[in-house]
Amino acid sequence: MNAATTKEHHKAAAPRVKITINPVGMDRPRAWLAAGIEDFRQATAVSLAYGMFWVGLSIAITAGAITLGLWHWLLPMVAGFMFMGPLVAVGSYGVSRALEASRAPHLGDAFGAWRPHAGQLAMMGVMMMIFFLAWIRLATLLFALFFGFEVPSPAGLYSALLTTPEGLGMIAVGSVLGGILAFGAFTISVVAIPTLMHHDLTFMEGIEASVRSVARNFRPMLLWAAILTGCVLIGVLTFYIGLALILPVLGFASWHAYEELVRVEVIDEGEPLRG
């Protein structure tokens, strides 16, 4: 009985919030990117260290796939990075918060940023993993549809992708379907994770804030999605090295996007509101 009473007490004591989504103009994505570059300039050493960690991990995964003979998984895995990117940015959010608090950020701000809200961030991680696994499954089906079940040599596959009707068809269909899936992941996550890091909310409230941000500012957010995708693609084409700079900058920029888009107000009484 006491345990049940305590549980009800904590439930009743949980803050109720009003989440307001602000409208933004088409110029704001470029402003967020500029703000991210400025944050990188102010915390260059920590930012590069954090970025290099993910570069090293990406290189290790790539080398492992090649060593194990799973090289044909590299393209869908690299493309699938888009689905896990919001989680990679968590450390950048911690650095941005330290800068806003007028203190020098350190690696603890980057690698420990997830701890205060580990449970809700883990749930967001599960959601993003579902999108990633869906993409891998889709890529497998597309490969089987266009090339059958025989895995050609690396040189043969990459040549076929660019020079045969089957390869070009797979790229076209995969780009369309993958883009739709990626935009779905972007829609539920673009401001969800920084919202969860800044406020004591559930992961569903974070997703709600993210979806409503995209719905209310569709054109600016579509531009922002294109900027994120283009920057990550550039980083990957530099054999991951460019990601050491690009990932922290995009993380900082995403934090500034959240701050401009989402306003969370705690209310003391009445039903939870969503403005």
PDB file of all heavy atoms in Angstrom, residues 191-217:
ATOM      1  N   VAL A 191      14.585  17.763 -33.154  1.00  0.00           N
ATOM      2  CA  VAL A 191      14.758  18.510 -31.902  1.00  0.00           C
ATOM      3  C   VAL A 191      14.376  17.676 -30.688  1.00  0.00           C
ATOM      4  O   VAL A 191      14.394  18.182 -29.562  1.00  0.00           O
ATOM      5  CB  VAL A 191      13.948  19.829 -31.909  1.00  0.00           C
ATOM      6  CG1 VAL A 191      14.448  20.772 -32.988  1.00  0.00           C
ATOM      7  CG2 VAL A 191      12.461  19.567 -32.064  1.00  0.00           C
ATOM      8  N   ALA A 192      14.051  16.406 -30.881  1.00  0.00           N
ATOM      9  CA  ALA A 192      13.597  15.576 -29.756  1.00  0.00           C
ATOM     10  C   ALA A 192      14.686  15.388 -28.715  1.00  0.00           C
ATOM     11  O   ALA A 192      14.454  15.545 -27.506  1.00  0.00           O
ATOM     12  CB  ALA A 192      13.121  14.219 -30.271  1.00  0.00           C
ATOM     13  N   ILE A 193      15.900  15.047 -29.166  1.00  0.00           N
ATOM     14  CA  ILE A 193      16.964  14.730 -28.209  1.00  0.00           C
ATOM     15  C   ILE A 193      17.419  15.965 -27.428  1.00  0.00           C
ATOM     16  O   ILE A 193      17.538  15.905 -26.197  1.00  0.00           O
ATOM     17  CB  ILE A 193      18.121  14.026 -28.925  1.00  0.00           C
ATOM     18  CG1 ILE A 193      17.643  12.640 -29.392  1.00  0.00           C
ATOM     19  CG2 ILE A 193      19.324  13.881 -28.002  1.00  0.00           C
ATOM     20  CD1 ILE A 193      18.656  11.856 -30.186  1.00  0.00           C
ATOM     21  N   PRO A 194      17.675  17.125 -28.062  1.00  0.00           N
ATOM     22  CA  PRO A 194      18.002  18.300 -27.231  1.00  0.00           C
ATOM     23  C   PRO A 194      16.867  18.713 -26.308  1.00  0.00           C
ATOM     24  O   PRO A 194      17.113  19.196 -25.200  1.00  0.00           O
ATOM     25  CB  PRO A 194      18.318  19.391 -28.264  1.00  0.00           C
ATOM     26  CG  PRO A 194      17.770  18.897 -29.558  1.00  0.00           C
ATOM     27  CD  PRO A 194      17.834  17.409 -29.491  1.00  0.00           C
ATOM     28  N   THR A 195      15.621  18.509 -26.722  1.00  0.00           N
ATOM     29  CA  THR A 195      14.500  18.806 -25.835  1.00  0.00           C
ATOM     30  C   THR A 195      14.538  17.922 -24.598  1.00  0.00           C
ATOM     31  O   THR A 195      14.335  18.388 -23.467  1.00  0.00           O
ATOM     32  CB  THR A 195      13.160  18.601 -26.577  1.00  0.00           C
ATOM     33  OG1 THR A 195      13.113  19.476 -27.713  1.00  0.00           O
ATOM     34  CG2 THR A 195      11.969  18.914 -25.677  1.00  0.00           C
ATOM     35  N   LEU A 196      14.825  16.647 -24.783  1.00  0.00           N
ATOM     36  CA  LEU A 196      14.905  15.715 -23.656  1.00  0.00           C
ATOM     37  C   LEU A 196      16.091  16.032 -22.759  1.00  0.00           C
ATOM     38  O   LEU A 196      16.030  15.823 -21.541  1.00  0.00           O
ATOM     39  CB  LEU A 196      15.018  14.280 -24.174  1.00  0.00           C
ATOM     40  CG  LEU A 196      13.801  13.726 -24.922  1.00  0.00           C
ATOM     41  CD1 LEU A 196      14.083  12.332 -25.449  1.00  0.00           C
ATOM     42  CD2 LEU A 196      12.576  13.714 -24.022  1.00  0.00           C
ATOM     43  N   MET A 197      17.188  16.518 -23.333  1.00  0.00           N
ATOM     44  CA  MET A 197      18.361  16.854 -22.531  1.00  0.00           C
ATOM     45  C   MET A 197      18.160  18.123 -21.716  1.00  0.00           C
ATOM     46  O   MET A 197      18.800  18.312 -20.688  1.00  0.00           O
ATOM     47  CB  MET A 197      19.578  17.015 -23.440  1.00  0.00           C
ATOM     48  CG  MET A 197      20.062  15.718 -24.044  1.00  0.00           C
ATOM     49  SD  MET A 197      21.533  15.958 -25.064  1.00  0.00           S
ATOM     50  CE  MET A 197      22.712  16.544 -23.828  1.00  0.00           C
ATOM     51  N   HIS A 198      17.265  18.984 -22.174  1.00  0.00           N
ATOM     52  CA  HIS A 198      17.077  20.285 -21.526  1.00  0.00           C
ATOM     53  C   HIS A 198      15.928  20.285 -20.525  1.00  0.00           C
ATOM     54  O   HIS A 198      15.867  21.155 -19.649  1.00  0.00           O
ATOM     55  CB  HIS A 198      16.828  21.335 -22.605  1.00  0.00           C
ATOM     56  CG  HIS A 198      17.183  22.717 -22.173  1.00  0.00           C
ATOM     57  ND1 HIS A 198      16.907  23.839 -22.920  1.00  0.00           N
ATOM     58  CD2 HIS A 198      17.802  23.179 -21.054  1.00  0.00           C
ATOM     59  CE1 HIS A 198      17.332  24.915 -22.292  1.00  0.00           C
ATOM     60  NE2 HIS A 198      17.879  24.551 -21.165  1.00  0.00           N
ATOM     61  N   HIS A 199      15.018  19.303 -20.664  1.00  0.00           N
ATOM     62  CA  HIS A 199      13.826  19.291 -19.818  1.00  0.00           C
ATOM     63  C   HIS A 199      13.505  17.863 -19.370  1.00  0.00           C
ATOM     64  O   HIS A 199      13.866  16.899 -20.044  1.00  0.00           O
ATOM     65  CB  HIS A 199      12.618  19.859 -20.579  1.00  0.00           C
ATOM     66  CG  HIS A 199      12.821  21.248 -21.086  1.00  0.00           C
ATOM     67  ND1 HIS A 199      12.694  22.360 -20.288  1.00  0.00           N
ATOM     68  CD2 HIS A 199      13.169  21.701 -22.324  1.00  0.00           C
ATOM     69  CE1 HIS A 199      12.938  23.449 -21.004  1.00  0.00           C
ATOM     70  NE2 HIS A 199      13.228  23.076 -22.242  1.00  0.00           N
ATOM     71  N   ASP A 200      12.825  17.742 -18.244  1.00  0.00           N
ATOM     72  CA  ASP A 200      12.417  16.430 -17.736  1.00  0.00           C
ATOM     73  C   ASP A 200      11.111  16.018 -18.404  1.00  0.00           C
ATOM     74  O   ASP A 200      10.025  16.131 -17.822  1.00  0.00           O
ATOM     75  CB  ASP A 200      12.262  16.468 -16.213  1.00  0.00           C
ATOM     76  CG  ASP A 200      13.600  16.637 -15.515  1.00  0.00           C
ATOM     77  OD1 ASP A 200      14.579  16.039 -15.990  1.00  0.00           O
ATOM     78  OD2 ASP A 200      13.660  17.376 -14.516  1.00  0.00           O
ATOM     79  N   LEU A 201      11.227  15.525 -19.628  1.00  0.00           N
ATOM     80  CA  LEU A 201      10.073  15.100 -20.404  1.00  0.00           C
ATOM     81  C   LEU A 201      10.227  13.634 -20.790  1.00  0.00           C
ATOM     82  O   LEU A 201      11.308  13.058 -20.683  1.00  0.00           O
ATOM     83  CB  LEU A 201       9.951  15.949 -21.681  1.00  0.00           C
ATOM     84  CG  LEU A 201       9.829  17.467 -21.495  1.00  0.00           C
ATOM     85  CD1 LEU A 201       9.827  18.151 -22.853  1.00  0.00           C
ATOM     86  CD2 LEU A 201       8.571  17.821 -20.731  1.00  0.00           C
ATOM     87  N   THR A 202       9.151  13.036 -21.260  1.00  0.00           N
ATOM     88  CA  THR A 202       9.217  11.680 -21.780  1.00  0.00           C
ATOM     89  C   THR A 202       9.687  11.727 -23.232  1.00  0.00           C
ATOM     90  O   THR A 202       9.574  12.763 -23.906  1.00  0.00           O
ATOM     91  CB  THR A 202       7.851  10.991 -21.718  1.00  0.00           C
ATOM     92  OG1 THR A 202       6.950  11.644 -22.631  1.00  0.00           O
ATOM     93  CG2 THR A 202       7.267  11.072 -20.300  1.00  0.00           C
ATOM     94  N   PHE A 203      10.174  10.593 -23.702  1.00  0.00           N
ATOM     95  CA  PHE A 203      10.661  10.569 -25.082  1.00  0.00           C
ATOM     96  C   PHE A 203       9.522  10.812 -26.067  1.00  0.00           C
ATOM     97  O   PHE A 203       9.747  11.369 -27.152  1.00  0.00           O
ATOM     98  CB  PHE A 203      11.385   9.250 -25.379  1.00  0.00           C
ATOM     99  CG  PHE A 203      10.495   8.081 -25.684  1.00  0.00           C
ATOM    100  CD1 PHE A 203      10.269   7.686 -26.991  1.00  0.00           C
ATOM    101  CD2 PHE A 203       9.884   7.371 -24.658  1.00  0.00           C
ATOM    102  CE1 PHE A 203       9.464   6.606 -27.273  1.00  0.00           C
ATOM    103  CE2 PHE A 203       9.081   6.285 -24.939  1.00  0.00           C
ATOM    104  CZ  PHE A 203       8.854   5.895 -26.244  1.00  0.00           C
ATOM    105  N   MET A 204       8.287  10.452 -25.710  1.00  0.00           N
ATOM    106  CA  MET A 204       7.157  10.720 -26.596  1.00  0.00           C
ATOM    107  C   MET A 204       6.877  12.213 -26.684  1.00  0.00           C
ATOM    108  O   MET A 204       6.485  12.719 -27.752  1.00  0.00           O
ATOM    109  CB  MET A 204       5.918   9.969 -26.119  1.00  0.00           C
ATOM    110  CG  MET A 204       5.980   8.468 -26.343  1.00  0.00           C
ATOM    111  SD  MET A 204       6.252   8.029 -28.083  1.00  0.00           S
ATOM    112  CE  MET A 204       4.787   8.714 -28.857  1.00  0.00           C
ATOM    113  N   GLU A 205       7.082  12.946 -25.589  1.00  0.00           N
ATOM    114  CA  GLU A 205       6.917  14.402 -25.649  1.00  0.00           C
ATOM    115  C   GLU A 205       8.013  15.025 -26.504  1.00  0.00           C
ATOM    116  O   GLU A 205       7.778  16.003 -27.227  1.00  0.00           O
ATOM    117  CB  GLU A 205       6.932  14.978 -24.240  1.00  0.00           C
ATOM    118  CG  GLU A 205       5.666  14.673 -23.449  1.00  0.00           C
ATOM    119  CD  GLU A 205       5.752  15.137 -22.012  1.00  0.00           C
ATOM    120  OE1 GLU A 205       6.761  14.826 -21.343  1.00  0.00           O
ATOM    121  OE2 GLU A 205       4.806  15.808 -21.544  1.00  0.00           O
ATOM    122  N   GLY A 206       9.218  14.471 -26.431  1.00  0.00           N
ATOM    123  CA  GLY A 206      10.289  14.952 -27.293  1.00  0.00           C
ATOM    124  C   GLY A 206       9.973  14.713 -28.759  1.00  0.00           C
ATOM    125  O   GLY A 206      10.190  15.589 -29.607  1.00  0.00           O
ATOM    126  N   ILE A 207       9.453  13.524 -29.076  1.00  0.00           N
ATOM    127  CA  ILE A 207       9.066  13.218 -30.451  1.00  0.00           C
ATOM    128  C   ILE A 207       7.952  14.153 -30.908  1.00  0.00           C
ATOM    129  O   ILE A 207       7.956  14.648 -32.044  1.00  0.00           O
ATOM    130  CB  ILE A 207       8.636  11.745 -30.566  1.00  0.00           C
ATOM    131  CG1 ILE A 207       9.864  10.831 -30.423  1.00  0.00           C
ATOM    132  CG2 ILE A 207       7.915  11.488 -31.893  1.00  0.00           C
ATOM    133  CD1 ILE A 207       9.534   9.365 -30.399  1.00  0.00           C
ATOM    134  N   GLU A 208       6.986  14.394 -30.017  1.00  0.00           N
ATOM    135  CA  GLU A 208       5.889  15.308 -30.366  1.00  0.00           C
ATOM    136  C   GLU A 208       6.411  16.693 -30.718  1.00  0.00           C
ATOM    137  O   GLU A 208       5.998  17.301 -31.715  1.00  0.00           O
ATOM    138  CB  GLU A 208       4.905  15.406 -29.213  1.00  0.00           C
ATOM    139  CG  GLU A 208       3.756  16.369 -29.473  1.00  0.00           C
ATOM    140  CD  GLU A 208       2.982  16.729 -28.213  1.00  0.00           C
ATOM    141  OE1 GLU A 208       3.156  16.052 -27.190  1.00  0.00           O
ATOM    142  OE2 GLU A 208       2.214  17.698 -28.280  1.00  0.00           O
ATOM    143  N   ALA A 209       7.345  17.207 -29.903  1.00  0.00           N
ATOM    144  CA  ALA A 209       7.915  18.525 -30.174  1.00  0.00           C
ATOM    145  C   ALA A 209       8.621  18.538 -31.526  1.00  0.00           C
ATOM    146  O   ALA A 209       8.536  19.515 -32.285  1.00  0.00           O
ATOM    147  CB  ALA A 209       8.888  18.910 -29.064  1.00  0.00           C
ATOM    148  N   SER A 210       9.317  17.451 -31.835  1.00  0.00           N
ATOM    149  CA  SER A 210      10.046  17.372 -33.094  1.00  0.00           C
ATOM    150  C   SER A 210       9.098  17.330 -34.291  1.00  0.00           C
ATOM    151  O   SER A 210       9.280  18.060 -35.276  1.00  0.00           O
ATOM    152  CB  SER A 210      10.941  16.128 -33.077  1.00  0.00           C
ATOM    153  OG  SER A 210      11.850  16.156 -34.144  1.00  0.00           O
ATOM    154  N   VAL A 211       8.076  16.486 -34.213  1.00  0.00           N
ATOM    155  CA  VAL A 211       7.117  16.369 -35.314  1.00  0.00           C
ATOM    156  C   VAL A 211       6.406  17.692 -35.543  1.00  0.00           C
ATOM    157  O   VAL A 211       6.221  18.138 -36.691  1.00  0.00           O
ATOM    158  CB  VAL A 211       6.105  15.244 -35.020  1.00  0.00           C
ATOM    159  CG1 VAL A 211       4.965  15.258 -36.034  1.00  0.00           C
ATOM    160  CG2 VAL A 211       6.804  13.885 -35.036  1.00  0.00           C
ATOM    161  N   ARG A 212       6.018  18.349 -34.469  1.00  0.00           N
ATOM    162  CA  ARG A 212       5.307  19.615 -34.626  1.00  0.00           C
ATOM    163  C   ARG A 212       6.222  20.713 -35.147  1.00  0.00           C
ATOM    164  O   ARG A 212       5.786  21.619 -35.873  1.00  0.00           O
ATOM    165  CB  ARG A 212       4.688  20.018 -33.287  1.00  0.00           C
ATOM    166  CG  ARG A 212       3.517  19.106 -32.883  1.00  0.00           C
ATOM    167  CD  ARG A 212       2.980  19.439 -31.506  1.00  0.00           C
ATOM    168  NE  ARG A 212       2.610  20.843 -31.431  1.00  0.00           N
ATOM    169  CZ  ARG A 212       2.893  21.630 -30.392  1.00  0.00           C
ATOM    170  NH1 ARG A 212       3.547  21.157 -29.364  1.00  0.00           N
ATOM    171  NH2 ARG A 212       2.503  22.886 -30.390  1.00  0.00           N
ATOM    172  N   SER A 213       7.518  20.652 -34.812  1.00  0.00           N
ATOM    173  CA  SER A 213       8.471  21.632 -35.346  1.00  0.00           C
ATOM    174  C   SER A 213       8.574  21.505 -36.863  1.00  0.00           C
ATOM    175  O   SER A 213       8.595  22.512 -37.587  1.00  0.00           O
ATOM    176  CB  SER A 213       9.852  21.418 -34.714  1.00  0.00           C
ATOM    177  OG  SER A 213       9.827  21.696 -33.334  1.00  0.00           O
ATOM    178  N   VAL A 214       8.633  20.264 -37.346  1.00  0.00           N
ATOM    179  CA  VAL A 214       8.720  20.047 -38.792  1.00  0.00           C
ATOM    180  C   VAL A 214       7.407  20.431 -39.474  1.00  0.00           C
ATOM    181  O   VAL A 214       7.402  21.062 -40.540  1.00  0.00           O
ATOM    182  CB  VAL A 214       9.081  18.580 -39.090  1.00  0.00           C
ATOM    183  CG1 VAL A 214       9.013  18.303 -40.593  1.00  0.00           C
ATOM    184  CG2 VAL A 214      10.471  18.257 -38.559  1.00  0.00           C
ATOM    185  N   ALA A 215       6.283  20.074 -38.857  1.00  0.00           N
ATOM    186  CA  ALA A 215       4.984  20.371 -39.461  1.00  0.00           C
ATOM    187  C   ALA A 215       4.741  21.878 -39.556  1.00  0.00           C
ATOM    188  O   ALA A 215       4.214  22.373 -40.560  1.00  0.00           O
ATOM    189  CB  ALA A 215       3.873  19.712 -38.646  1.00  0.00           C
ATOM    190  N   ARG A 216       5.134  22.621 -38.525  1.00  0.00           N
ATOM    191  CA  ARG A 216       4.872  24.060 -38.530  1.00  0.00           C
ATOM    192  C   ARG A 216       5.866  24.822 -39.403  1.00  0.00           C
ATOM    193  O   ARG A 216       5.554  25.913 -39.903  1.00  0.00           O
ATOM    194  CB  ARG A 216       4.918  24.602 -37.099  1.00  0.00           C
ATOM    195  CG  ARG A 216       4.554  26.082 -37.044  1.00  0.00           C
ATOM    196  CD  ARG A 216       4.204  26.571 -35.672  1.00  0.00           C
ATOM    197  NE  ARG A 216       3.633  27.902 -35.742  1.00  0.00           N
ATOM    198  CZ  ARG A 216       3.271  28.627 -34.680  1.00  0.00           C
ATOM    199  NH1 ARG A 216       3.409  28.126 -33.471  1.00  0.00           N
ATOM    200  NH2 ARG A 216       2.769  29.827 -34.843  1.00  0.00           N
ATOM    201  N   ASN A 217       7.061  24.273 -39.584  1.00  0.00           N
ATOM    202  CA  ASN A 217       8.111  24.965 -40.348  1.00  0.00           C
ATOM    203  C   ASN A 217       8.633  24.038 -41.448  1.00  0.00           C
ATOM    204  O   ASN A 217       9.841  23.793 -41.546  1.00  0.00           O
ATOM    205  CB  ASN A 217       9.253  25.366 -39.414  1.00  0.00           C
ATOM    206  CG  ASN A 217       8.805  26.280 -38.302  1.00  0.00           C
ATOM    207  OD1 ASN A 217       8.605  27.474 -38.496  1.00  0.00           O
ATOM    208  ND2 ASN A 217       8.640  25.722 -37.108  1.00  0.00           N
TER     209      ASN A 217
END
